[in-house]
């Protein structure tokens, strides 16, 4: 065995937080702002937005320590906030 079996810094599961937040954020933003998809994806949009915001914030935390990419975590968290905020504003406008 010529290779080391010790995991490196780039082998951390924290590397996946940014891309996961980005995908969930895109789903949340598209589901919140495209009227034809809003009624079909309403529950998943709320959950995806909240998860994108949380995972994006954690991804930013780990990226600042050198694990993962900062831009994917920031964009994912921002899209999650846009999607979650859009759905929340829509529901509050109905008086809920």
């Amino acid at each position: 065995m010529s290779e080391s079996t010790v995991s490196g810094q780039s082998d951390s599961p924290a590397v996946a937080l940014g891309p996961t937040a980005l995908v969930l954020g895109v789903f949340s933003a598209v589901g919140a702002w495209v009227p034809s998809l809003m009624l079909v994806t309403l529950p998943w949009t709320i959950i995806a937005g909240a998860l994108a915001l949380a995972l994006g914030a954690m991804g930013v935390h780990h990226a600042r320590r050198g694990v993962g990419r900062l831009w994917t975590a920031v964009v994912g968290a921002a899209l999650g906030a846009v999607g979650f905020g859009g759905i929340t504003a829509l529901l509050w406008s109905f008086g809920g």
Side-chain angles (χ1 to χ4, degrees):
M1 290 203 333
S2 61
E3 291 187 34
S4 174
T5 57
V6 178
S7 63
Q9 192 174 17
S10 63
D11 294 339
S12 171
V15 173
L17 289 172
T20 304
L22 183 64
V23 169
L24 289 173
V26 166
F27 179 77
S28 176
V30 168
W33 296 105
V34 176
S36 61
L37 294 175
M38 189 178 296
L39 293 175
V40 176
T41 63
L42 183 67
W44 297 286
T45 301
I46 296 169
I47 293 169
L51 278 174
L53 193 56
L55 292 176
M58 201 63 194
V60 168
H61 170 74
H62 283 290
R64 291 182 57 108
R65 292 182 171 201
V67 179
R69 298 189 185 264
L70 184 61
W71 74 270
T72 56
V74 169
V75 171
L79 287 173
V82 165
F84 186 71
I87 291 296
T88 303
L90 175 71
L91 293 177
W92 277 351
S93 71
F94 288 132

